[in-house]
Amino acid sequence: MSIKVENLSYIYMKGTPFEKKALDNINMNIANGEFMGVIGHTGSGKSTLVQHMNGILKPTSGKVYVNGTDITGKNAKDLRNQVGIVFQYPEHQLFEETVFKDIAFGLERRALNKTEIEVKVKNVIKTVGLTQELLNRSPFELSGGQKRRVAIAGVLVLEPKILVLDEPAAGLDPKARDEVYALISNLHRKLNVTVILVSHSMEDIARLVKRVIVMNQGTIEMDGTPAQVFNQWQRLEEIGLSAPQMTHLMRRLKSICPEINENTFTVSEAKEEIMKYIRVNK
C-alpha cells in the first residue's frame, strides 16, 4: 500500500495562547513496499507526521491518502486499519492479564470467532519470535525485549499493509534492540509490508532503510538515500543531528589513506572498505 501526503499542516492547540505549528505544508509519497526512515531532532515534527498516517491526528489543513483514498474521509475506516502504528515504549500499553488476551484484543473488536482468533494469535506469536508457552503468562512477567515483541504482535495480528514504528527499540539493551530490528527487517522482506521507521539512531537508519526523510522545524529538510543524506553531515549537525559515527571515522581514515572510500555509513560497510584497502595495498 502507498501513502501520499499533500500540503499537510498541523497546529497543536489552535486558537489558544499555546498554539504551535508542528507541521508546515508537508508533501511526500511513500511507495508500496518501501522501507523508509524518518529522523529529526526532538520537536521537529516526525512523530506528529506519522500519527497522521492512520488518522490518529487529523490535519489542520491538507490531506493524507492511502492507496489514493483520503483517510480522513467518513468511509475510510478500513483503510486506516491497514496502517498499524507501534508507539515508543509500546509495552506501556499492555494491560490484559495474559499475553494471549493482549494480542487478541484488537481481533475481538472485529467480531471474529474464537477459532479464528486463536489461529491468528498463535501465528503472530511465532512471527515475532516468541513461543506459544508465553501466551498464558502475564505480559508483565516478561523481559523488556519480550514485552516489546508482544506489543508489536498486537499490531501485526491485525495484518496491516503499512507498519509505522516510532522509536521501536528505545530503552532496550543492545541485544534486544538488534532482535527488534531484525524482526522488522524480516517482516519487510518476507511480507512486503511498507515500513516507516522513526529513530534517533543514525547508525540503525543507515543500516536498515533505503530512503531517509529528515524533519526540521515541521518541514522536510532532506529526502534521499542514506548516502545522499549522510553525505550532508555538516548540515545535519547544524540542525541538531549527527551523521553515523562511521562517517567521521572513514573521513579521518581518508586523510591518512587517500584511496579509501569515505562514503560508508555502517560498521559492515566500513569493515568491507577497510579490508578491500588492505588487500589492494599489501
Side-chain angles (χ1 to χ4, degrees):
M1 277 190 155
S2 61
I3 294 180
K4 180 180 181 181
V5 177
E6 187 176 83
N7 303 321
L8 176 64
S9 294
Y10 186 77
I11 300 173
Y12 283 107
M13 295 180 285
K14 187 177 180 180
T16 76
F18 306 101
E19 180 175 300
K20 174 179 171 55
K21 195 165 197 176
L23 298 176
D24 187 8
N25 198 38
I26 300 291
N27 289 278
M28 62 187 296
N29 290 285
I30 304 171
N32 180 48
E34 194 166 3
F35 196 154
M36 189 185 81
V38 181
I39 60 176
H41 56 80
T42 300
S44 63
K46 56 187 185 297
S47 292
T48 303
L49 173 63
V50 298
Q51 287 180 41
H52 279 81
M53 292 181 178
N54 79 341
I56 291 175
L57 294 178
K58 300 292 191 293
T60 302
S61 62
K63 301 287 185 181
V64 178
Y65 300 91
V66 173
N67 268 11
T69 299
D70 177 9
I71 63 169
T72 62
K74 294 181 179 179
N75 300 317
K77 181 179 179 181
D78 289 341
L79 278 173
R80 289 194 293 270
N81 288 338
Q82 294 299 308
V83 184
I85 295 187
V86 178
F87 294 101
Q88 191 174 21
Y89 299 106
E91 63 273 19
H92 293 172
Q93 298 168 55
L94 300 176
F95 66 95
E96 284 282 9
E97 54 189 28
T98 68
V99 169
F100 182 94
K101 288 183 177 180
D102 226 306
I103 296 174
F105 179 77
L107 293 175
E108 290 173 348
R109 297 182 67 187
R110 292 185 175 181
L112 298 179
N113 66 50
K114 185 176 180 181
T115 301
E116 289 175 312
I117 291 174
E118 187 170 333
V119 169
K120 288 181 180 293
V121 171
K122 287 183 176 179
N123 284 340
V124 80
I125 200 76
K126 182 178 179 181
T127 297
V128 300
L130 296 175
T131 63
Q132 292 186 14
E133 285 73 19
L134 295 178
L135 289 174
N136 291 321
R137 290 181 58 183
S138 166
F140 307 107
E141 297 175 354
L142 306 182
S143 69
Q146 289 174 325
K147 288 179 181 177
R148 191 70 52 92
R149 287 171 182 258
V150 169
I152 293 173
V155 174
L156 292 179
V157 78
L158 301 176
E159 300 177 346
K161 303 301 182 185
I162 299 170
L163 186 60
V164 181
L165 303 115
D166 193 350
E167 299 284 358
L172 296 179
D173 61 59
K175 181 176 183 294
R177 185 184 68 237
D178 289 345
E179 289 174 349
V180 167
Y181 281 134
L183 166 63
I184 295 166
S185 295
N186 285 337
L187 289 170
H188 175 254
R189 184 173 62 255
K190 293 180 179 179
L191 303 179
N192 197 36
V193 176
T194 303
V195 177
I196 298 104
L197 173 65
V198 178
S199 179
H200 280 98
S201 171
M202 302 301 105
E203 285 73 21
D204 291 328
I205 288 290
R207 177 169 56 91
L208 293 167
V209 310
K210 300 299 182 185
R211 176 186 173 195
V212 183
I213 294 285
V214 181
M215 297 292 296
N216 181 37
Q217 297 182 347
T219 64
I220 294 178
E221 177 81 22
M222 302 178 197
D223 181 353
T225 66
Q228 290 169 334
V229 168
F230 293 130
N231 274 328
Q232 301 180 65
W233 59 273
Q234 291 173 310
R235 177 55 183 159
L236 290 174
E237 292 183 349
E238 287 173 2
I239 64 173
L241 298 174
S242 62
Q245 293 179 352
M246 286 298 108
T247 301
H248 299 291
L249 172 62
M250 296 304 285
R251 287 182 179 276
R252 292 190 66 182
L253 281 176
K254 188 171 180 64
S255 67
I256 302 169
C257 313
E259 300 166 21
I260 209 163
N261 177 16
E262 80 274 29
N263 294 322
T264 55
F265 309 101
T266 68
V267 172
S268 60
E269 289 175 345
K271 177 182 176 182
E272 183 177 340
E273 182 60 30
I274 291 169
M275 295 303 295
K276 177 182 175 182
Y277 177 84
I278 291 172
R279 287 194 298 269
V280 171
N281 293 277
K282 275 186 177 179

